[in-house]
Amino acid sequence: MSSTGHIDSIHPTFSLRDAKQLALKRGLALVDLSSDNTCPIALSLGLIDVHCHVSELGRDWEGYHTASRAAAAGGTTTLFGMPLNSIPATTTVDALRQEVDAARRVQLMADVGLWGGAVPSNVDSPEGVEKLNNLLDGGAFGLKAFLAPLPPDAGYETVSPAQLKIAATICGKRGKPAMFAGLGAG
């Protein structure tokens, strides 16, 4: 891949030795995640996964080290954590800071970004909307909301279509993405 993003060569058979030579020639670092150097290597653009369920805080699930290592092994260089998975859910600046601090405490093998959560408490009033703006100012990549019902222990509330419109409008004005899980077809 050239510096302008164009494919400049294709290598149908590529060994770890070839990868190391190419990386050295281009001044790049090569991270070998295999333990025995027998893993086939594919050089490609880094993939981005915008919907990762990582829970470093509060739940006994996969944390950032394991998630980022698995992502990197599969060619993903950037992952974005969903706001629901941590306790507390990433719906406030304080919760976002806790999540960032948790990710900083572990060895990351990929870049990490975080979605903020749009919930009734941060779209129902001018004060709530200010909290939502603060969440975006605090570093949230964008906003995720649920229209579909959630289990009672989710730690995250669903929004109405009108509340989703408020959150999406805020994102649109700021050039930030909005993501939502809607109601099924029936």
Side-chain angles (χ1 to χ4, degrees), residues 10-85:
I10 296 176
H11 306 276
T13 58
F14 210 70
S15 69
L16 181 58
R17 181 174 169 256
D18 295 333
K20 286 179 180 178
Q21 288 176 346
L22 182 61
L24 182 63
K25 176 180 161 187
R26 297 207 176 166
L28 303 172
L30 177 67
V31 177
D32 178 20
L33 299 176
S34 67
S35 59
D36 59 5
N37 292 336
T38 60
C39 179
I41 300 292
L43 296 181
S44 69
L45 292 174
L47 303 174
I48 299 171
D49 188 342
V50 299
H51 190 128
C52 293
H53 292 268
V54 180
S55 183
E56 193 73 33
L57 301 172
R59 298 184 195 269
D60 189 22
W61 295 353
E62 176 177 63
Y64 284 107
H65 173 71
T66 305
S68 65
R69 183 176 171 91
T76 298
T77 59
T78 305
L79 56 94
F80 289 92
M82 301 308 305
L84 171 59
N85 297 117

Side-chain angles (χ1 to χ4, degrees), residues 93 96 127 129-140 174:
V93 172
L96 179 68
E127 296 81 19
V129 169
E130 183 178 348
K131 289 178 185 177
L132 198 60
N133 279 302
N134 291 340
L135 185 59
L136 292 169
D137 289 341
R174 300 169 69 104

Side-chain angles (χ1 to χ4, degrees), residues 59 83-92 94-96 99 117 119 154-156:
R59 298 184 195 269
L84 171 59
N85 297 117
S86 294
I87 297 174
T90 311
T91 60
T92 65
D94 182 57
L96 179 68
E99 193 75 18
V119 294
Y156 197 85

